Amino acid sequence: MSRADDPFETYLLRVLCALIAEQSVSRTAIRMNQSQPAISAALKRLREVFNDPLLVRDKNTMVPTARALAVAAQAQAALGLLDGLLRSGDGFDPATTERSFTVAMPDYLAPPFLAQVVRAFRAQAPHARLVAQPLGPQYDYEMALQDGTIDIVIGNWPEPPEHLHMSTLLEDEVVCIMAHDHPFAVPGQLTVERFLQAPHLVPMPYSIAQRGVVESTLATMRVSRDRRVQCPYFGLAPSLLPGTDLIMTTSRHFAAYHARQLPIAIVPSPIEFARMRFYQLWHASQHRAAPHVWLRGLLTAAAPVLTDLQAG
């Protein structure tokens, strides 16, 4: 939100929250669609208002002071309430809206899901904008939801934050995929012992604070797998399997989609993992906002394409 659109002059507080999340003036400028000088000027003003440096440089990052963290915690709650107040009386029509919607999501959902979302979005809201924001280990999606930078996060962590609203998009079983000519692709060959000893292909985690279903289960069993190869993206990982002895553990719908494109085999997991649950998360301040309700419905309506993939 720009200063011109902010009748309560909360611009400085939004800058502070973004600076604490990004720990960088340049990244904050990009996030808020502002110039770096504008963000630097806002930080200078904030330091004067609170009589505190707020952020101090440590190597290549800016570390928030205790005062900054305390102010930001109160600011996030206040901003959420104010945003809800401003939006509660707005009329909303998808066909005419020009607003931008941002959904933060990893690429562990098969591409047909986002493709269906985009088709429905373009048909229902031709003047609006949709941003698919990638997640990363350093990305604070909870703060981004609180300050309104993003609208929704799609996740599959076993224990999502309790203070966020949630609705399930898909529940899926865990399977293993490997090259079609892998010795363990033969039914009955992949045992628990062989699973633990085999070299595994593992995408990089999308959250430092949250373990996925596979890692959580293995930790509970007090065992680990051989994470021999790591790659930055889920969508890339299946293409690395053919011609190797690597195994990847993932959801069935994701495996089924890529098995149609690549010479890979889907094998039942020898370890009984909990079912993966993919869901959308949003902040309480957006729960009743008409644009947000519409966006959540759009994502929910696209989920059946993933169920179709499960069925093969």
PDB file of all heavy atoms in Angstrom, residues 192-227:
ATOM      1  N   VAL A 192      12.066 -51.402   4.000  1.00  0.00           N
ATOM      2  CA  VAL A 192      12.438 -50.302   4.887  1.00  0.00           C
ATOM      3  C   VAL A 192      13.953 -50.172   4.951  1.00  0.00           C
ATOM      4  O   VAL A 192      14.503 -49.060   4.874  1.00  0.00           O
ATOM      5  CB  VAL A 192      11.859 -50.521   6.306  1.00  0.00           C
ATOM      6  CG1 VAL A 192      12.404 -49.473   7.275  1.00  0.00           C
ATOM      7  CG2 VAL A 192      10.338 -50.481   6.280  1.00  0.00           C
ATOM      8  N   GLU A 193      14.647 -51.287   5.088  1.00  0.00           N
ATOM      9  CA  GLU A 193      16.112 -51.258   5.175  1.00  0.00           C
ATOM     10  C   GLU A 193      16.721 -50.681   3.903  1.00  0.00           C
ATOM     11  O   GLU A 193      17.631 -49.839   3.956  1.00  0.00           O
ATOM     12  CB  GLU A 193      16.651 -52.668   5.432  1.00  0.00           C
ATOM     13  CG  GLU A 193      18.166 -52.717   5.582  1.00  0.00           C
ATOM     14  CD  GLU A 193      18.673 -54.120   5.856  1.00  0.00           C
ATOM     15  OE1 GLU A 193      17.869 -55.078   5.797  1.00  0.00           O
ATOM     16  OE2 GLU A 193      19.876 -54.267   6.131  1.00  0.00           O
ATOM     17  N   ARG A 194      16.227 -51.107   2.757  1.00  0.00           N
ATOM     18  CA  ARG A 194      16.762 -50.588   1.486  1.00  0.00           C
ATOM     19  C   ARG A 194      16.414 -49.115   1.311  1.00  0.00           C
ATOM     20  O   ARG A 194      17.205 -48.360   0.747  1.00  0.00           O
ATOM     21  CB  ARG A 194      16.211 -51.423   0.328  1.00  0.00           C
ATOM     22  CG  ARG A 194      16.855 -52.807   0.229  1.00  0.00           C
ATOM     23  CD  ARG A 194      16.196 -53.662  -0.830  1.00  0.00           C
ATOM     24  NE  ARG A 194      16.941 -54.900  -1.040  1.00  0.00           N
ATOM     25  CZ  ARG A 194      16.527 -55.913  -1.794  1.00  0.00           C
ATOM     26  NH1 ARG A 194      15.342 -55.830  -2.412  1.00  0.00           N
ATOM     27  NH2 ARG A 194      17.274 -56.985  -1.933  1.00  0.00           N
ATOM     28  N   PHE A 195      15.239 -48.727   1.763  1.00  0.00           N
ATOM     29  CA  PHE A 195      14.854 -47.311   1.692  1.00  0.00           C
ATOM     30  C   PHE A 195      15.842 -46.448   2.474  1.00  0.00           C
ATOM     31  O   PHE A 195      16.286 -45.399   2.000  1.00  0.00           O
ATOM     32  CB  PHE A 195      13.434 -47.136   2.249  1.00  0.00           C
ATOM     33  CG  PHE A 195      12.973 -45.697   2.320  1.00  0.00           C
ATOM     34  CD1 PHE A 195      12.288 -45.118   1.266  1.00  0.00           C
ATOM     35  CD2 PHE A 195      13.216 -44.922   3.454  1.00  0.00           C
ATOM     36  CE1 PHE A 195      11.857 -43.795   1.332  1.00  0.00           C
ATOM     37  CE2 PHE A 195      12.794 -43.600   3.529  1.00  0.00           C
ATOM     38  CZ  PHE A 195      12.106 -43.043   2.462  1.00  0.00           C
ATOM     39  N   LEU A 196      16.195 -46.864   3.681  1.00  0.00           N
ATOM     40  CA  LEU A 196      17.075 -46.078   4.526  1.00  0.00           C
ATOM     41  C   LEU A 196      18.517 -46.076   4.029  1.00  0.00           C
ATOM     42  O   LEU A 196      19.258 -45.118   4.256  1.00  0.00           O
ATOM     43  CB  LEU A 196      17.016 -46.602   5.967  1.00  0.00           C
ATOM     44  CG  LEU A 196      15.656 -46.458   6.666  1.00  0.00           C
ATOM     45  CD1 LEU A 196      15.686 -47.127   8.034  1.00  0.00           C
ATOM     46  CD2 LEU A 196      15.262 -44.996   6.789  1.00  0.00           C
ATOM     47  N   GLN A 197      18.922 -47.123   3.341  1.00  0.00           N
ATOM     48  CA  GLN A 197      20.299 -47.212   2.858  1.00  0.00           C
ATOM     49  C   GLN A 197      20.477 -46.590   1.473  1.00  0.00           C
ATOM     50  O   GLN A 197      21.594 -46.220   1.103  1.00  0.00           O
ATOM     51  CB  GLN A 197      20.744 -48.682   2.818  1.00  0.00           C
ATOM     52  CG  GLN A 197      20.877 -49.326   4.189  1.00  0.00           C
ATOM     53  CD  GLN A 197      21.255 -50.802   4.107  1.00  0.00           C
ATOM     54  OE1 GLN A 197      21.225 -51.406   3.031  1.00  0.00           O
ATOM     55  NE2 GLN A 197      21.603 -51.385   5.250  1.00  0.00           N
ATOM     56  N   ALA A 198      19.406 -46.461   0.725  1.00  0.00           N
ATOM     57  CA  ALA A 198      19.493 -45.966  -0.652  1.00  0.00           C
ATOM     58  C   ALA A 198      19.841 -44.478  -0.692  1.00  0.00           C
ATOM     59  O   ALA A 198      19.527 -43.726   0.226  1.00  0.00           O
ATOM     60  CB  ALA A 198      18.163 -46.208  -1.367  1.00  0.00           C
ATOM     61  N   PRO A 199      20.466 -44.025  -1.774  1.00  0.00           N
ATOM     62  CA  PRO A 199      20.694 -42.589  -1.951  1.00  0.00           C
ATOM     63  C   PRO A 199      19.393 -41.893  -2.357  1.00  0.00           C
ATOM     64  O   PRO A 199      18.678 -42.371  -3.243  1.00  0.00           O
ATOM     65  CB  PRO A 199      21.729 -42.525  -3.069  1.00  0.00           C
ATOM     66  CG  PRO A 199      21.507 -43.779  -3.857  1.00  0.00           C
ATOM     67  CD  PRO A 199      21.066 -44.820  -2.865  1.00  0.00           C
ATOM     68  N   HIS A 200      19.097 -40.774  -1.718  1.00  0.00           N
ATOM     69  CA  HIS A 200      17.832 -40.087  -1.955  1.00  0.00           C
ATOM     70  C   HIS A 200      18.058 -38.728  -2.612  1.00  0.00           C
ATOM     71  O   HIS A 200      19.050 -38.045  -2.355  1.00  0.00           O
ATOM     72  CB  HIS A 200      17.074 -39.883  -0.647  1.00  0.00           C
ATOM     73  CG  HIS A 200      16.465 -41.139  -0.105  1.00  0.00           C
ATOM     74  ND1 HIS A 200      15.119 -41.405  -0.175  1.00  0.00           N
ATOM     75  CD2 HIS A 200      17.033 -42.216   0.497  1.00  0.00           C
ATOM     76  CE1 HIS A 200      14.876 -42.587   0.368  1.00  0.00           C
ATOM     77  NE2 HIS A 200      16.017 -43.094   0.794  1.00  0.00           N
ATOM     78  N   LEU A 201      17.090 -38.360  -3.435  1.00  0.00           N
ATOM     79  CA  LEU A 201      17.017 -37.032  -4.024  1.00  0.00           C
ATOM     80  C   LEU A 201      16.024 -36.228  -3.191  1.00  0.00           C
ATOM     81  O   LEU A 201      14.860 -36.624  -3.048  1.00  0.00           O
ATOM     82  CB  LEU A 201      16.545 -37.117  -5.475  1.00  0.00           C
ATOM     83  CG  LEU A 201      16.208 -35.794  -6.185  1.00  0.00           C
ATOM     84  CD1 LEU A 201      17.437 -34.897  -6.283  1.00  0.00           C
ATOM     85  CD2 LEU A 201      15.642 -36.068  -7.577  1.00  0.00           C
ATOM     86  N   VAL A 202      16.482 -35.111  -2.627  1.00  0.00           N
ATOM     87  CA  VAL A 202      15.656 -34.345  -1.686  1.00  0.00           C
ATOM     88  C   VAL A 202      15.634 -32.870  -2.083  1.00  0.00           C
ATOM     89  O   VAL A 202      16.687 -32.222  -2.125  1.00  0.00           O
ATOM     90  CB  VAL A 202      16.206 -34.475  -0.250  1.00  0.00           C
ATOM     91  CG1 VAL A 202      15.301 -33.742   0.727  1.00  0.00           C
ATOM     92  CG2 VAL A 202      16.344 -35.939   0.144  1.00  0.00           C
ATOM     93  N   PRO A 203      14.466 -32.321  -2.394  1.00  0.00           N
ATOM     94  CA  PRO A 203      14.388 -30.875  -2.647  1.00  0.00           C
ATOM     95  C   PRO A 203      14.717 -30.082  -1.383  1.00  0.00           C
ATOM     96  O   PRO A 203      14.509 -30.559  -0.264  1.00  0.00           O
ATOM     97  CB  PRO A 203      12.925 -30.657  -3.067  1.00  0.00           C
ATOM     98  CG  PRO A 203      12.463 -32.013  -3.519  1.00  0.00           C
ATOM     99  CD  PRO A 203      13.185 -32.989  -2.640  1.00  0.00           C
ATOM    100  N   MET A 204      15.194 -28.869  -1.559  1.00  0.00           N
ATOM    101  CA  MET A 204      15.520 -28.020  -0.428  1.00  0.00           C
ATOM    102  C   MET A 204      14.238 -27.668   0.329  1.00  0.00           C
ATOM    103  O   MET A 204      13.186 -27.453  -0.270  1.00  0.00           O
ATOM    104  CB  MET A 204      16.200 -26.736  -0.900  1.00  0.00           C
ATOM    105  CG  MET A 204      17.531 -26.969  -1.608  1.00  0.00           C
ATOM    106  SD  MET A 204      18.809 -27.581  -0.501  1.00  0.00           S
ATOM    107  CE  MET A 204      19.115 -26.114   0.483  1.00  0.00           C
ATOM    108  N   PRO A 205      14.300 -27.603   1.671  1.00  0.00           N
ATOM    109  CA  PRO A 205      13.093 -27.267   2.449  1.00  0.00           C
ATOM    110  C   PRO A 205      12.659 -25.829   2.199  1.00  0.00           C
ATOM    111  O   PRO A 205      13.474 -24.958   1.924  1.00  0.00           O
ATOM    112  CB  PRO A 205      13.541 -27.482   3.894  1.00  0.00           C
ATOM    113  CG  PRO A 205      15.027 -27.303   3.866  1.00  0.00           C
ATOM    114  CD  PRO A 205      15.472 -27.831   2.536  1.00  0.00           C
ATOM    115  N   TYR A 206      11.339 -25.606   2.330  1.00  0.00           N
ATOM    116  CA  TYR A 206      10.792 -24.271   2.126  1.00  0.00           C
ATOM    117  C   TYR A 206      10.623 -23.505   3.426  1.00  0.00           C
ATOM    118  O   TYR A 206      10.222 -22.347   3.420  1.00  0.00           O
ATOM    119  CB  TYR A 206       9.446 -24.361   1.408  1.00  0.00           C
ATOM    120  CG  TYR A 206       9.584 -24.698  -0.052  1.00  0.00           C
ATOM    121  CD1 TYR A 206       9.290 -25.961  -0.532  1.00  0.00           C
ATOM    122  CD2 TYR A 206      10.024 -23.739  -0.954  1.00  0.00           C
ATOM    123  CE1 TYR A 206       9.418 -26.260  -1.878  1.00  0.00           C
ATOM    124  CE2 TYR A 206      10.153 -24.036  -2.296  1.00  0.00           C
ATOM    125  CZ  TYR A 206       9.852 -25.306  -2.752  1.00  0.00           C
ATOM    126  OH  TYR A 206       9.989 -25.596  -4.082  1.00  0.00           O
ATOM    127  N   SER A 207      10.916 -24.148   4.547  1.00  0.00           N
ATOM    128  CA  SER A 207      10.794 -23.477   5.834  1.00  0.00           C
ATOM    129  C   SER A 207      11.818 -24.054   6.797  1.00  0.00           C
ATOM    130  O   SER A 207      11.957 -25.286   6.885  1.00  0.00           O
ATOM    131  CB  SER A 207       9.381 -23.651   6.405  1.00  0.00           C
ATOM    132  OG  SER A 207       9.296 -23.167   7.722  1.00  0.00           O
ATOM    133  N   ILE A 208      12.521 -23.182   7.491  1.00  0.00           N
ATOM    134  CA  ILE A 208      13.463 -23.636   8.500  1.00  0.00           C
ATOM    135  C   ILE A 208      12.724 -24.119   9.739  1.00  0.00           C
ATOM    136  O   ILE A 208      13.115 -25.094  10.383  1.00  0.00           O
ATOM    137  CB  ILE A 208      14.435 -22.495   8.870  1.00  0.00           C
ATOM    138  CG1 ILE A 208      15.340 -22.164   7.673  1.00  0.00           C
ATOM    139  CG2 ILE A 208      15.284 -22.863  10.080  1.00  0.00           C
ATOM    140  CD1 ILE A 208      16.282 -21.012   7.935  1.00  0.00           C
ATOM    141  N   ALA A 209      11.640 -23.443  10.076  1.00  0.00           N
ATOM    142  CA  ALA A 209      10.918 -23.738  11.309  1.00  0.00           C
ATOM    143  C   ALA A 209      10.006 -24.957  11.196  1.00  0.00           C
ATOM    144  O   ALA A 209       9.592 -25.516  12.210  1.00  0.00           O
ATOM    145  CB  ALA A 209      10.093 -22.524  11.733  1.00  0.00           C
ATOM    146  N   GLN A 210       9.672 -25.382   9.974  1.00  0.00           N
ATOM    147  CA  GLN A 210       8.699 -26.449   9.776  1.00  0.00           C
ATOM    148  C   GLN A 210       9.325 -27.636   9.055  1.00  0.00           C
ATOM    149  O   GLN A 210       9.951 -27.477   8.008  1.00  0.00           O
ATOM    150  CB  GLN A 210       7.508 -25.939   8.953  1.00  0.00           C
ATOM    151  CG  GLN A 210       6.682 -24.873   9.650  1.00  0.00           C
ATOM    152  CD  GLN A 210       5.583 -25.474  10.504  1.00  0.00           C
ATOM    153  OE1 GLN A 210       5.551 -26.681  10.756  1.00  0.00           O
ATOM    154  NE2 GLN A 210       4.675 -24.635  10.957  1.00  0.00           N
ATOM    155  N   ARG A 211       9.182 -28.824   9.623  1.00  0.00           N
ATOM    156  CA  ARG A 211       9.584 -30.048   8.939  1.00  0.00           C
ATOM    157  C   ARG A 211       8.417 -30.592   8.137  1.00  0.00           C
ATOM    158  O   ARG A 211       7.260 -30.488   8.554  1.00  0.00           O
ATOM    159  CB  ARG A 211      10.012 -31.117   9.949  1.00  0.00           C
ATOM    160  CG  ARG A 211      11.414 -30.953  10.504  1.00  0.00           C
ATOM    161  CD  ARG A 211      11.688 -32.061  11.499  1.00  0.00           C
ATOM    162  NE  ARG A 211      13.083 -32.111  11.913  1.00  0.00           N
ATOM    163  CZ  ARG A 211      13.550 -32.918  12.858  1.00  0.00           C
ATOM    164  NH1 ARG A 211      12.724 -33.741  13.480  1.00  0.00           N
ATOM    165  NH2 ARG A 211      14.822 -32.908  13.176  1.00  0.00           N
ATOM    166  N   GLY A 212       8.722 -31.226   7.009  1.00  0.00           N
ATOM    167  CA  GLY A 212       7.688 -31.865   6.219  1.00  0.00           C
ATOM    168  C   GLY A 212       7.273 -33.194   6.816  1.00  0.00           C
ATOM    169  O   GLY A 212       7.843 -33.670   7.815  1.00  0.00           O
ATOM    170  N   VAL A 213       6.279 -33.839   6.190  1.00  0.00           N
ATOM    171  CA  VAL A 213       5.753 -35.113   6.685  1.00  0.00           C
ATOM    172  C   VAL A 213       6.836 -36.179   6.729  1.00  0.00           C
ATOM    173  O   VAL A 213       6.963 -36.917   7.716  1.00  0.00           O
ATOM    174  CB  VAL A 213       4.580 -35.574   5.794  1.00  0.00           C
ATOM    175  CG1 VAL A 213       4.187 -37.014   6.124  1.00  0.00           C
ATOM    176  CG2 VAL A 213       3.385 -34.646   5.957  1.00  0.00           C
ATOM    177  N   VAL A 214       7.646 -36.272   5.687  1.00  0.00           N
ATOM    178  CA  VAL A 214       8.661 -37.326   5.613  1.00  0.00           C
ATOM    179  C   VAL A 214       9.702 -37.155   6.714  1.00  0.00           C
ATOM    180  O   VAL A 214      10.006 -38.094   7.459  1.00  0.00           O
ATOM    181  CB  VAL A 214       9.329 -37.341   4.223  1.00  0.00           C
ATOM    182  CG1 VAL A 214      10.469 -38.354   4.181  1.00  0.00           C
ATOM    183  CG2 VAL A 214       8.299 -37.669   3.146  1.00  0.00           C
ATOM    184  N   GLU A 215      10.265 -35.956   6.827  1.00  0.00           N
ATOM    185  CA  GLU A 215      11.306 -35.731   7.824  1.00  0.00           C
ATOM    186  C   GLU A 215      10.753 -35.861   9.238  1.00  0.00           C
ATOM    187  O   GLU A 215      11.438 -36.364  10.141  1.00  0.00           O
ATOM    188  CB  GLU A 215      11.935 -34.353   7.624  1.00  0.00           C
ATOM    189  CG  GLU A 215      12.710 -34.219   6.324  1.00  0.00           C
ATOM    190  CD  GLU A 215      13.802 -35.265   6.175  1.00  0.00           C
ATOM    191  OE1 GLU A 215      14.413 -35.667   7.187  1.00  0.00           O
ATOM    192  OE2 GLU A 215      14.035 -35.702   5.035  1.00  0.00           O
ATOM    193  N   SER A 216       9.523 -35.421   9.472  1.00  0.00           N
ATOM    194  CA  SER A 216       8.920 -35.538  10.801  1.00  0.00           C
ATOM    195  C   SER A 216       8.755 -37.002  11.203  1.00  0.00           C
ATOM    196  O   SER A 216       9.048 -37.394  12.342  1.00  0.00           O
ATOM    197  CB  SER A 216       7.563 -34.841  10.834  1.00  0.00           C
ATOM    198  OG  SER A 216       7.689 -33.448  10.630  1.00  0.00           O
ATOM    199  N   THR A 217       8.302 -37.826  10.257  1.00  0.00           N
ATOM    200  CA  THR A 217       8.107 -39.245  10.551  1.00  0.00           C
ATOM    201  C   THR A 217       9.436 -39.937  10.820  1.00  0.00           C
ATOM    202  O   THR A 217       9.565 -40.714  11.778  1.00  0.00           O
ATOM    203  CB  THR A 217       7.386 -39.936   9.384  1.00  0.00           C
ATOM    204  OG1 THR A 217       6.122 -39.308   9.159  1.00  0.00           O
ATOM    205  CG2 THR A 217       7.169 -41.417   9.676  1.00  0.00           C
ATOM    206  N   LEU A 218      10.435 -39.673   9.994  1.00  0.00           N
ATOM    207  CA  LEU A 218      11.741 -40.296  10.192  1.00  0.00           C
ATOM    208  C   LEU A 218      12.358 -39.870  11.518  1.00  0.00           C
ATOM    209  O   LEU A 218      12.998 -40.673  12.207  1.00  0.00           O
ATOM    210  CB  LEU A 218      12.673 -39.948   9.030  1.00  0.00           C
ATOM    211  CG  LEU A 218      12.273 -40.498   7.657  1.00  0.00           C
ATOM    212  CD1 LEU A 218      13.256 -40.028   6.588  1.00  0.00           C
ATOM    213  CD2 LEU A 218      12.200 -42.021   7.675  1.00  0.00           C
ATOM    214  N   ALA A 219      12.171 -38.597  11.888  1.00  0.00           N
ATOM    215  CA  ALA A 219      12.703 -38.115  13.165  1.00  0.00           C
ATOM    216  C   ALA A 219      12.028 -38.829  14.329  1.00  0.00           C
ATOM    217  O   ALA A 219      12.685 -39.183  15.326  1.00  0.00           O
ATOM    218  CB  ALA A 219      12.505 -36.605  13.274  1.00  0.00           C
ATOM    219  N   THR A 220      10.718 -39.061  14.217  1.00  0.00           N
ATOM    220  CA  THR A 220       9.995 -39.787  15.259  1.00  0.00           C
ATOM    221  C   THR A 220      10.511 -41.217  15.384  1.00  0.00           C
ATOM    222  O   THR A 220      10.600 -41.770  16.492  1.00  0.00           O
ATOM    223  CB  THR A 220       8.485 -39.801  14.947  1.00  0.00           C
ATOM    224  OG1 THR A 220       8.005 -38.452  14.882  1.00  0.00           O
ATOM    225  CG2 THR A 220       7.713 -40.557  16.006  1.00  0.00           C
ATOM    226  N   MET A 221      10.865 -41.828  14.247  1.00  0.00           N
ATOM    227  CA  MET A 221      11.408 -43.195  14.241  1.00  0.00           C
ATOM    228  C   MET A 221      12.878 -43.226  14.664  1.00  0.00           C
ATOM    229  O   MET A 221      13.439 -44.300  14.845  1.00  0.00           O
ATOM    230  CB  MET A 221      11.268 -43.794  12.838  1.00  0.00           C
ATOM    231  CG  MET A 221       9.846 -43.959  12.357  1.00  0.00           C
ATOM    232  SD  MET A 221       9.769 -44.431  10.582  1.00  0.00           S
ATOM    233  CE  MET A 221      10.683 -45.990  10.611  1.00  0.00           C
ATOM    234  N   ARG A 222      13.499 -42.039  14.774  1.00  0.00           N
ATOM    235  CA  ARG A 222      14.918 -41.910  15.118  1.00  0.00           C
ATOM    236  C   ARG A 222      15.808 -42.581  14.077  1.00  0.00           C
ATOM    237  O   ARG A 222      16.794 -43.255  14.394  1.00  0.00           O
ATOM    238  CB  ARG A 222      15.195 -42.471  16.512  1.00  0.00           C
ATOM    239  CG  ARG A 222      14.468 -41.706  17.612  1.00  0.00           C
ATOM    240  CD  ARG A 222      14.845 -42.185  18.990  1.00  0.00           C
ATOM    241  NE  ARG A 222      14.159 -41.392  20.010  1.00  0.00           N
ATOM    242  CZ  ARG A 222      14.303 -41.580  21.321  1.00  0.00           C
ATOM    243  NH1 ARG A 222      15.107 -42.548  21.762  1.00  0.00           N
ATOM    244  NH2 ARG A 222      13.647 -40.810  22.175  1.00  0.00           N
ATOM    245  N   VAL A 223      15.422 -42.388  12.835  1.00  0.00           N
ATOM    246  CA  VAL A 223      16.238 -42.860  11.716  1.00  0.00           C
ATOM    247  C   VAL A 223      16.386 -41.702  10.733  1.00  0.00           C
ATOM    248  O   VAL A 223      15.708 -40.683  10.854  1.00  0.00           O
ATOM    249  CB  VAL A 223      15.600 -44.075  10.999  1.00  0.00           C
ATOM    250  CG1 VAL A 223      15.501 -45.270  11.935  1.00  0.00           C
ATOM    251  CG2 VAL A 223      14.217 -43.713  10.453  1.00  0.00           C
ATOM    252  N   SER A 224      17.266 -41.864   9.769  1.00  0.00           N
ATOM    253  CA  SER A 224      17.453 -40.839   8.746  1.00  0.00           C
ATOM    254  C   SER A 224      17.728 -41.506   7.420  1.00  0.00           C
ATOM    255  O   SER A 224      18.132 -42.672   7.365  1.00  0.00           O
ATOM    256  CB  SER A 224      18.607 -39.893   9.122  1.00  0.00           C
ATOM    257  OG  SER A 224      19.819 -40.617   9.234  1.00  0.00           O
ATOM    258  N   ARG A 225      17.508 -40.768   6.337  1.00  0.00           N
ATOM    259  CA  ARG A 225      17.802 -41.276   5.005  1.00  0.00           C
ATOM    260  C   ARG A 225      19.066 -40.617   4.473  1.00  0.00           C
ATOM    261  O   ARG A 225      19.509 -39.581   4.990  1.00  0.00           O
ATOM    262  CB  ARG A 225      16.627 -41.027   4.064  1.00  0.00           C
ATOM    263  CG  ARG A 225      16.147 -39.583   4.037  1.00  0.00           C
ATOM    264  CD  ARG A 225      14.968 -39.384   3.122  1.00  0.00           C
ATOM    265  NE  ARG A 225      14.394 -38.039   3.279  1.00  0.00           N
ATOM    266  CZ  ARG A 225      13.527 -37.506   2.456  1.00  0.00           C
ATOM    267  NH1 ARG A 225      13.112 -38.190   1.400  1.00  0.00           N
ATOM    268  NH2 ARG A 225      13.045 -36.290   2.674  1.00  0.00           N
ATOM    269  N   ASP A 226      19.617 -41.213   3.444  1.00  0.00           N
ATOM    270  CA  ASP A 226      20.838 -40.702   2.824  1.00  0.00           C
ATOM    271  C   ASP A 226      20.459 -39.612   1.825  1.00  0.00           C
ATOM    272  O   ASP A 226      20.112 -39.894   0.679  1.00  0.00           O
ATOM    273  CB  ASP A 226      21.563 -41.855   2.120  1.00  0.00           C
ATOM    274  CG  ASP A 226      22.858 -41.412   1.449  1.00  0.00           C
ATOM    275  OD1 ASP A 226      23.163 -40.203   1.466  1.00  0.00           O
ATOM    276  OD2 ASP A 226      23.563 -42.282   0.893  1.00  0.00           O
ATOM    277  N   ARG A 227      20.554 -38.350   2.256  1.00  0.00           N
ATOM    278  CA  ARG A 227      20.182 -37.219   1.401  1.00  0.00           C
ATOM    279  C   ARG A 227      21.348 -36.931   0.453  1.00  0.00           C
ATOM    280  O   ARG A 227      22.052 -35.942   0.596  1.00  0.00           O
ATOM    281  CB  ARG A 227      19.857 -36.016   2.274  1.00  0.00           C
ATOM    282  CG  ARG A 227      18.732 -36.285   3.268  1.00  0.00           C
ATOM    283  CD  ARG A 227      18.703 -35.255   4.404  1.00  0.00           C
ATOM    284  NE  ARG A 227      18.380 -33.939   3.912  1.00  0.00           N
ATOM    285  CZ  ARG A 227      17.160 -33.428   3.856  1.00  0.00           C
ATOM    286  NH1 ARG A 227      16.128 -34.142   4.285  1.00  0.00           N
ATOM    287  NH2 ARG A 227      16.955 -32.211   3.405  1.00  0.00           N
TER     288      ARG A 227
END
